[in-house]
Amino acid sequence: MAYKRKRKGGVSVISLITDFGQNDNFVGVIKGVILSINPNAKIVDICHEVKPHDILTGAFLLKSSFKYFPKGSLHLVVVDPGVGSERKNLLVKTKDYFFIAPDNGVLSPALKDQASLKIIEITNKNYFLKPTSDTFHGRDIFAPTAAYLSKGEDFGKFGKRIKSIKELSLPQVKITSKGLIGEIIYIDRFGNLVSNIDKEMLDNFIKNKRFRIHIKNKTIDNLSHSYAEGTYLKLLALIDSFNYLEIALNRGSACNYLKAKKGTEVMLAVT
């Protein structure tokens, strides 16, 4: 690409979240495009093992990750079952970060509480790879946009300003006569079950009272501080490093033990 621009500033880091996996060449090609345009780009892999087309998991991983990066970082998310359709390609700027992703809701949980939101629909084809594929926008649109932005290209030159993006809400916790009812929204590679009940919700609900956590046909009556508490293969609950209520098994997989999956109900009841 011979399109030259004035260079000033730039983003500090480009992070990647995709559902491409590691068995194909997709991730490597995206990195190759970025580095061809900006050889000095700093690229960090957050995750490429999102289940294919699982927008909700991509959104959860982004929401849980982006704040741990240096201010000025750009987060590129490619979980895109609608590639080639009429959905928009987004470039978003907040007070501290940039985001690039398809307009399918994957950004909305992370952006919910962000200040100074500016949204661009990426339309300037001068920045696209040629020819531009309808099936690989990650390579031909998102990667070069990220790369040129990382070199200091002006945010407003990539397209037109728009006012809103598609919303995607993480499953909501319900308060009923039985208790606080949430569900499993993420399962990590250790088989730990992450619920949508966060520490603030839990504290506000129990208010220092005794409580029990119910999942499948099992009951847990206290919170542990680490995965190593208790005996081997003991089922436990704890507030994880991202402040969500998590169900785990000491040196085992809570997912396999409980035969749980995303959407499995978790109930917290005061006793």
Side-chain angles (χ1 to χ4, degrees), residues 234-246:
K234 177 188 176 182
L235 192 66
L236 52 88
L238 70 161
I239 299 299
D240 68 15
S241 57
F242 296 104
N243 278 328
Y244 287 96
L245 175 66
E246 184 175 301

PDB file of all heavy atoms in Angstrom, residues 234-246:
ATOM      1  N   LYS A 234     -12.425 -30.776  46.148  1.00  0.00           N
ATOM      2  CA  LYS A 234     -13.512 -30.119  46.865  1.00  0.00           C
ATOM      3  C   LYS A 234     -14.095 -29.004  45.992  1.00  0.00           C
ATOM      4  O   LYS A 234     -13.364 -28.203  45.404  1.00  0.00           O
ATOM      5  CB  LYS A 234     -13.015 -29.522  48.177  1.00  0.00           C
ATOM      6  CG  LYS A 234     -14.103 -28.766  48.933  1.00  0.00           C
ATOM      7  CD  LYS A 234     -13.542 -28.027  50.137  1.00  0.00           C
ATOM      8  CE  LYS A 234     -14.628 -27.197  50.820  1.00  0.00           C
ATOM      9  NZ  LYS A 234     -14.094 -26.435  51.981  1.00  0.00           N
ATOM     10  N   LEU A 235     -15.415 -28.942  45.924  1.00  0.00           N
ATOM     11  CA  LEU A 235     -16.084 -27.876  45.196  1.00  0.00           C
ATOM     12  C   LEU A 235     -16.065 -26.608  46.042  1.00  0.00           C
ATOM     13  O   LEU A 235     -16.337 -26.651  47.245  1.00  0.00           O
ATOM     14  CB  LEU A 235     -17.533 -28.283  44.901  1.00  0.00           C
ATOM     15  CG  LEU A 235     -18.305 -27.414  43.896  1.00  0.00           C
ATOM     16  CD1 LEU A 235     -17.712 -27.537  42.508  1.00  0.00           C
ATOM     17  CD2 LEU A 235     -19.777 -27.820  43.881  1.00  0.00           C
ATOM     18  N   LEU A 236     -15.723 -25.496  45.427  1.00  0.00           N
ATOM     19  CA  LEU A 236     -15.629 -24.253  46.182  1.00  0.00           C
ATOM     20  C   LEU A 236     -16.108 -23.072  45.352  1.00  0.00           C
ATOM     21  O   LEU A 236     -16.227 -23.153  44.124  1.00  0.00           O
ATOM     22  CB  LEU A 236     -14.203 -24.029  46.682  1.00  0.00           C
ATOM     23  CG  LEU A 236     -13.045 -24.111  45.666  1.00  0.00           C
ATOM     24  CD1 LEU A 236     -12.812 -22.755  45.013  1.00  0.00           C
ATOM     25  CD2 LEU A 236     -11.780 -24.604  46.333  1.00  0.00           C
ATOM     26  N   ALA A 237     -16.374 -21.975  46.041  1.00  0.00           N
ATOM     27  CA  ALA A 237     -16.761 -20.721  45.402  1.00  0.00           C
ATOM     28  C   ALA A 237     -15.808 -19.632  45.871  1.00  0.00           C
ATOM     29  O   ALA A 237     -15.348 -19.640  47.021  1.00  0.00           O
ATOM     30  CB  ALA A 237     -18.203 -20.366  45.764  1.00  0.00           C
ATOM     31  N   LEU A 238     -15.496 -18.705  44.994  1.00  0.00           N
ATOM     32  CA  LEU A 238     -14.612 -17.607  45.357  1.00  0.00           C
ATOM     33  C   LEU A 238     -14.871 -16.416  44.447  1.00  0.00           C
ATOM     34  O   LEU A 238     -15.514 -16.547  43.400  1.00  0.00           O
ATOM     35  CB  LEU A 238     -13.149 -18.031  45.275  1.00  0.00           C
ATOM     36  CG  LEU A 238     -12.532 -18.290  43.896  1.00  0.00           C
ATOM     37  CD1 LEU A 238     -11.018 -18.243  43.979  1.00  0.00           C
ATOM     38  CD2 LEU A 238     -12.964 -19.629  43.329  1.00  0.00           C
ATOM     39  N   ILE A 239     -14.398 -15.256  44.861  1.00  0.00           N
ATOM     40  CA  ILE A 239     -14.404 -14.083  43.994  1.00  0.00           C
ATOM     41  C   ILE A 239     -13.091 -14.111  43.223  1.00  0.00           C
ATOM     42  O   ILE A 239     -12.010 -14.087  43.804  1.00  0.00           O
ATOM     43  CB  ILE A 239     -14.520 -12.783  44.810  1.00  0.00           C
ATOM     44  CG1 ILE A 239     -15.829 -12.770  45.615  1.00  0.00           C
ATOM     45  CG2 ILE A 239     -14.463 -11.580  43.890  1.00  0.00           C
ATOM     46  CD1 ILE A 239     -17.087 -12.844  44.777  1.00  0.00           C
ATOM     47  N   ASP A 240     -13.197 -14.193  41.896  1.00  0.00           N
ATOM     48  CA  ASP A 240     -11.986 -14.385  41.099  1.00  0.00           C
ATOM     49  C   ASP A 240     -11.229 -13.075  40.893  1.00  0.00           C
ATOM     50  O   ASP A 240     -11.609 -12.022  41.415  1.00  0.00           O
ATOM     51  CB  ASP A 240     -12.316 -15.082  39.773  1.00  0.00           C
ATOM     52  CG  ASP A 240     -13.146 -14.219  38.826  1.00  0.00           C
ATOM     53  OD1 ASP A 240     -13.255 -12.988  39.035  1.00  0.00           O
ATOM     54  OD2 ASP A 240     -13.690 -14.778  37.851  1.00  0.00           O
ATOM     55  N   SER A 241     -10.175 -13.127  40.114  1.00  0.00           N
ATOM     56  CA  SER A 241      -9.295 -11.973  39.937  1.00  0.00           C
ATOM     57  C   SER A 241      -9.943 -10.843  39.155  1.00  0.00           C
ATOM     58  O   SER A 241      -9.412  -9.726  39.113  1.00  0.00           O
ATOM     59  CB  SER A 241      -7.996 -12.406  39.243  1.00  0.00           C
ATOM     60  OG  SER A 241      -8.274 -13.036  38.006  1.00  0.00           O
ATOM     61  N   PHE A 242     -11.091 -11.109  38.515  1.00  0.00           N
ATOM     62  CA  PHE A 242     -11.819 -10.066  37.802  1.00  0.00           C
ATOM     63  C   PHE A 242     -13.094  -9.657  38.553  1.00  0.00           C
ATOM     64  O   PHE A 242     -13.972  -9.012  38.003  1.00  0.00           O
ATOM     65  CB  PHE A 242     -12.163 -10.532  36.388  1.00  0.00           C
ATOM     66  CG  PHE A 242     -10.932 -10.781  35.551  1.00  0.00           C
ATOM     67  CD1 PHE A 242     -10.504 -12.072  35.304  1.00  0.00           C
ATOM     68  CD2 PHE A 242     -10.199  -9.725  35.045  1.00  0.00           C
ATOM     69  CE1 PHE A 242      -9.367 -12.310  34.550  1.00  0.00           C
ATOM     70  CE2 PHE A 242      -9.063  -9.944  34.288  1.00  0.00           C
ATOM     71  CZ  PHE A 242      -8.634 -11.242  34.037  1.00  0.00           C
ATOM     72  N   ASN A 243     -13.189 -10.106  39.831  1.00  0.00           N
ATOM     73  CA  ASN A 243     -14.280  -9.710  40.740  1.00  0.00           C
ATOM     74  C   ASN A 243     -15.628 -10.342  40.421  1.00  0.00           C
ATOM     75  O   ASN A 243     -16.679  -9.781  40.756  1.00  0.00           O
ATOM     76  CB  ASN A 243     -14.426  -8.188  40.821  1.00  0.00           C
ATOM     77  CG  ASN A 243     -13.427  -7.574  41.791  1.00  0.00           C
ATOM     78  OD1 ASN A 243     -13.050  -8.194  42.791  1.00  0.00           O
ATOM     79  ND2 ASN A 243     -12.977  -6.382  41.489  1.00  0.00           N
ATOM     80  N   TYR A 244     -15.620 -11.513  39.803  1.00  0.00           N
ATOM     81  CA  TYR A 244     -16.853 -12.262  39.576  1.00  0.00           C
ATOM     82  C   TYR A 244     -16.897 -13.494  40.485  1.00  0.00           C
ATOM     83  O   TYR A 244     -15.852 -14.080  40.808  1.00  0.00           O
ATOM     84  CB  TYR A 244     -16.952 -12.725  38.124  1.00  0.00           C
ATOM     85  CG  TYR A 244     -17.256 -11.614  37.146  1.00  0.00           C
ATOM     86  CD1 TYR A 244     -16.227 -10.971  36.449  1.00  0.00           C
ATOM     87  CD2 TYR A 244     -18.568 -11.204  36.916  1.00  0.00           C
ATOM     88  CE1 TYR A 244     -16.503  -9.953  35.553  1.00  0.00           C
ATOM     89  CE2 TYR A 244     -18.853 -10.185  36.023  1.00  0.00           C
ATOM     90  CZ  TYR A 244     -17.816  -9.569  35.340  1.00  0.00           C
ATOM     91  OH  TYR A 244     -18.089  -8.555  34.459  1.00  0.00           O
ATOM     92  N   LEU A 245     -18.119 -13.880  40.880  1.00  0.00           N
ATOM     93  CA  LEU A 245     -18.302 -15.111  41.631  1.00  0.00           C
ATOM     94  C   LEU A 245     -18.009 -16.290  40.719  1.00  0.00           C
ATOM     95  O   LEU A 245     -18.582 -16.417  39.644  1.00  0.00           O
ATOM     96  CB  LEU A 245     -19.734 -15.205  42.162  1.00  0.00           C
ATOM     97  CG  LEU A 245     -20.100 -16.512  42.885  1.00  0.00           C
ATOM     98  CD1 LEU A 245     -19.305 -16.660  44.176  1.00  0.00           C
ATOM     99  CD2 LEU A 245     -21.604 -16.554  43.165  1.00  0.00           C
ATOM    100  N   GLU A 246     -17.113 -17.148  41.176  1.00  0.00           N
ATOM    101  CA  GLU A 246     -16.648 -18.268  40.359  1.00  0.00           C
ATOM    102  C   GLU A 246     -16.787 -19.569  41.137  1.00  0.00           C
ATOM    103  O   GLU A 246     -16.553 -19.611  42.347  1.00  0.00           O
ATOM    104  CB  GLU A 246     -15.181 -18.033  39.979  1.00  0.00           C
ATOM    105  CG  GLU A 246     -14.572 -19.054  39.058  1.00  0.00           C
ATOM    106  CD  GLU A 246     -13.164 -18.663  38.640  1.00  0.00           C
ATOM    107  OE1 GLU A 246     -12.987 -17.567  38.042  1.00  0.00           O
ATOM    108  OE2 GLU A 246     -12.230 -19.429  38.923  1.00  0.00           O
TER     109      GLU A 246
END
